[in-house]
Amino acid sequence: MFTLPKLGFEFDALEPHIDAKTMEIHYTKHHRGYADKLNVALQGQASLLKMTIEEILKNVEAIPDEIRQAVINNGGGYFNHNIFWSVLSPEGGSGPTGIFNTALMSKYGNLEVFKDQFGQAAVARFGSGWAWLVIDEDKKLEIMSSANQDCPLSIGQTPILALDVWEHAYYLNYQNRRPDYIAAFWNVVNWAEVERRYESAR
Ligand code: MN3
């Protein structure tokens, strides 16, 4: 059974950048919904139930046809939000450090260029989806976006920074102003966690 991770902060801790009501509904309804539906889809699937969610999403072709799309949607929804909560923090926003920062700077030149390109990917994602900073097996950094709950793990990429751009992530506070939500996101990014994910990836 896949269960929700405990949030590292209260629902109102990210205000004014992400409001308490959005956080509460997002975590207790949307994220829980993905976890519940993933568990339903996996009922009786003994071999899949022995795997981690990362292993399942890395091997979607091994999922039986009749549940594959349900697992991609709900397993992706479950895992993607786990990452998203982990890279948010009320103490966030400072900026990257260490070897991760060195890699980021060598790719993008400076943090503002990176934020701008990531923001463009997030704005340009039509409809519902995610913006990502990912690394490949050589730890090469790349900005990408995905539709719906499609997970970068399924195309061989390891996500280290995530931004949910489904309307449910921002509509209560920002309505149609996705760019304002994206700009506010940078104030609550937990760069230490992004860095940890970069360093611990193999
Ligand atoms: Mn969401």
Side-chain angles (χ1 to χ4, degrees):
M1 290 285 281
F2 291 100
T3 57
L4 293 197
K6 213 173 139 25
L7 275 186
F9 46 83
E10 300 297 320
F11 292 138
D12 65 0
L14 305 178
E15 291 201 346
H17 311 294
I18 301 177
D19 66 283
K21 195 71 189 167
T22 295
M23 272 305 306
E24 181 182 352
I25 294 171
H26 203 169
Y27 178 80
T28 66
K29 307 285 190 219
H30 293 279
H31 196 188
R32 179 166 305 285
Y34 293 121
D36 289 349
K37 287 178 190 151
L38 173 64
N39 288 323
V40 168
L42 292 178
Q43 270 170 15
Q45 301 288 336
S47 61
L48 292 175
L49 285 167
K50 283 190 221 121
M51 298 163 76
T52 65
I53 188 61
E54 288 90 341
E55 288 167 341
I56 291 171
L57 291 169
K58 281 179 186 171
N59 297 287
V60 291
E61 67 290 339
I63 301 168
D65 288 349
E66 63 274 19
I67 60 163
R68 185 179 300 121
Q69 196 58 49
V71 173
I72 289 171
N73 292 345
N74 296 296
Y78 170 68
F79 174 79
N80 295 344
H81 288 87
N82 289 354
I83 297 244
F84 186 42
W85 310 140
S86 80
V87 298
L88 298 176
S89 167
E91 281 89 45
S94 56
T97 60
I99 59 165
F100 167 64
N101 185 53
T102 305
L104 195 72
M105 291 309 105
S106 88
K107 169 99 186 182
Y108 298 101
N110 67 62
L111 188 58
E112 291 314 306
V113 171
F114 165 71
K115 286 182 179 177
D116 189 54
Q117 290 187 22
F118 186 95
Q120 284 175 31
V123 168
R125 168 48 56 189
F126 181 77
S128 298
W130 293 78
W132 305 97
L133 179 64
V134 298
I135 49 177
D136 65 12
E137 48 200 21
D138 300 320
K139 287 208 176 184
K140 201 162 79 63
L141 292 162
E142 205 74 60
I143 292 166
M144 61 170 280
S145 72
S146 67
N148 304 313
Q149 295 296 351
D150 291 355
C151 182
L153 290 174
S154 303
I155 55 165
Q157 302 284 343
T158 299
I160 63 171
L161 175 65
L163 176 59
D164 189 342
V165 295
W166 284 59
E167 280 190 347
H168 68 228
Y170 62 88
Y171 199 83
L172 287 182
N173 194 31
Y174 295 97
Q175 290 83 49
N176 61 323
R177 303 188 309 278
R178 189 191 285 185
D180 292 354
Y181 160 70
I182 295 165
F185 165 68
W186 298 116
N187 295 303
V188 290
V189 170
N190 181 358
W191 287 105
E193 173 63 14
V194 182
E195 201 169 314
R196 190 196 64 75
R197 288 181 179 278
Y198 176 83
E199 288 179 9
S200 65
R202 280 174 291 145

